[in-house]
Amino acid sequence: MDVRRAGETAPALRVVVGEPDRAVRARLRSVLHMGNGICVLGETGDPARLREQAARFRPRVAVVNAALRQPDGQEYALVMAAQARKRTRVVVVSDELDEQLLGRALRGGAGGFVHRDSLLEEIVPAIRLVAAGHTFISSSMLTRLRDRISAAIPRPDQRPAELTRREAEVLALVAAGLSNAGIAARLGIGTGTVRSHLARILAKLSAANRAHAVGIAYESGFITGESVHRLLGRG
């Protein structure tokens, strides 16, 4: 348990940034250094240097643009998410709306997915939620995803055959970034019940963790931006 005396503040969240655009790195640095309890320890547009910075500083969160690629063409954000796992959580920044990339990122262990359009507005809450072990997907990404695939998605009342309606609701709220307590409050159930639902969801989807389950759900069309917005009362 983290116990602090009155007046003590939490230590700053340690962050590194991998972004190929120097101007965007400068804007990110400005936003993250505005008394947000976040300390940017390193920034670069080179995957090799980002790898060195992550090893040297051991940050809690790495903000990495999917445009940053390895020599073989693979997105370095996904490589880093797979390698770092819980030691360093990864927030993937996407220049394009790409639901397949979203699914791959979450399945690969990334904790957050932010679209460039809402990067400066949502990067701070994304970092905080991901650092706390939750999943963050920006509202602009969810809206764009809903609009792009609305003609092809299942009807709103459809859900994976193996999931109950309540389990599908819990999974959609996990996708929205809510904590167990937040899900419990939203659905009017206890946190213990939420944990039980999550355990069954992971088992049924053969998912390693919450983010993995969300990735499976998005890739398979089990949940969509529309269903998440509807549960949150945003649309």
Side-chain angles (χ1 to χ4, degrees):
M1 179 183 298
D2 185 10
V3 179
R4 300 186 182 91
R5 291 186 294 271
E8 288 185 339
T9 58
L13 287 172
R14 298 158 63 86
V15 173
V16 294
V17 175
E19 165 59 54
D21 189 318
R22 184 174 299 178
V24 173
R25 291 204 305 270
R27 290 196 291 272
L28 271 173
R29 184 171 61 249
S30 176
V31 169
L32 297 178
H33 283 174
M34 294 177 60
N36 291 310
I38 296 170
C39 178
V40 179
L41 301 173
E43 55 180 85
T44 181
D46 177 71
R49 288 195 61 192
L50 183 61
R51 187 181 302 111
E52 293 171 0
Q53 291 176 357
R56 176 183 177 187
F57 297 122
R58 298 179 67 85
R60 184 69 187 110
V61 177
V63 178
V64 189
N65 195 313
L68 202 66
R69 294 178 179 268
Q70 298 214 121
D72 63 3
Q74 188 175 6
E75 299 99 337
Y76 186 66
L78 275 59
V79 173
M80 191 171 189
Q83 292 175 345
R85 293 294 177 180
K86 293 183 179 180
R87 186 187 68 192
T88 297
R89 302 296 306 281
V90 174
V91 174
V92 179
V93 177
S94 173
D95 294 343
E96 303 289 340
L97 173 61
D98 188 339
E99 59 268 23
Q100 292 183 342
L101 175 60
L102 168 64
R104 293 201 311 275
L106 295 178
R107 286 176 68 95
F113 197 100
V114 179
H115 190 267
R116 174 64 65 86
D117 283 358
S118 53
L119 176 62
L120 299 182
E121 294 81 8
E122 297 190 330
I123 191 59
V124 171
I127 289 173
R128 287 177 174 162
L129 272 174
V130 169
H134 305 305
T135 301
F136 181 95
I137 301 174
S138 63
S139 58
S140 61
M141 175 66 78
L142 290 174
T143 299
R144 287 169 178 262
L145 182 63
R146 176 198 64 195
D147 293 342
R148 178 165 177 168
I149 67 173
S150 60
I153 61 175
R155 294 189 307 274
D157 61 346
Q158 288 185 319
R159 57 187 182 277
E162 63 269 27
L163 294 188
T164 67
R165 183 178 186 85
R166 179 55 61 129
E167 287 165 354
E169 291 173 342
V170 168
L171 184 55
L173 292 174
V174 170
L178 271 66
S179 65
N180 286 1
I183 295 171
R186 174 72 60 173
L187 299 179
I189 58 179
T191 55
T193 303
V194 173
R195 288 193 294 270
S196 296
H197 284 312
L198 286 171
R200 287 193 292 271
I201 290 168
L202 297 183
K204 289 180 178 181
L205 298 183
S206 298
N209 51 44
R210 296 161 67 106
H212 188 189
V214 171
I216 292 171
Y218 268 107
E219 279 195 315
S220 305
F222 291 172
I223 58 174
T224 66
E226 183 177 5
S227 62
V228 173
H229 277 276
R230 186 170 56 255
L231 274 176
L232 295 176
R234 296 176 182 171

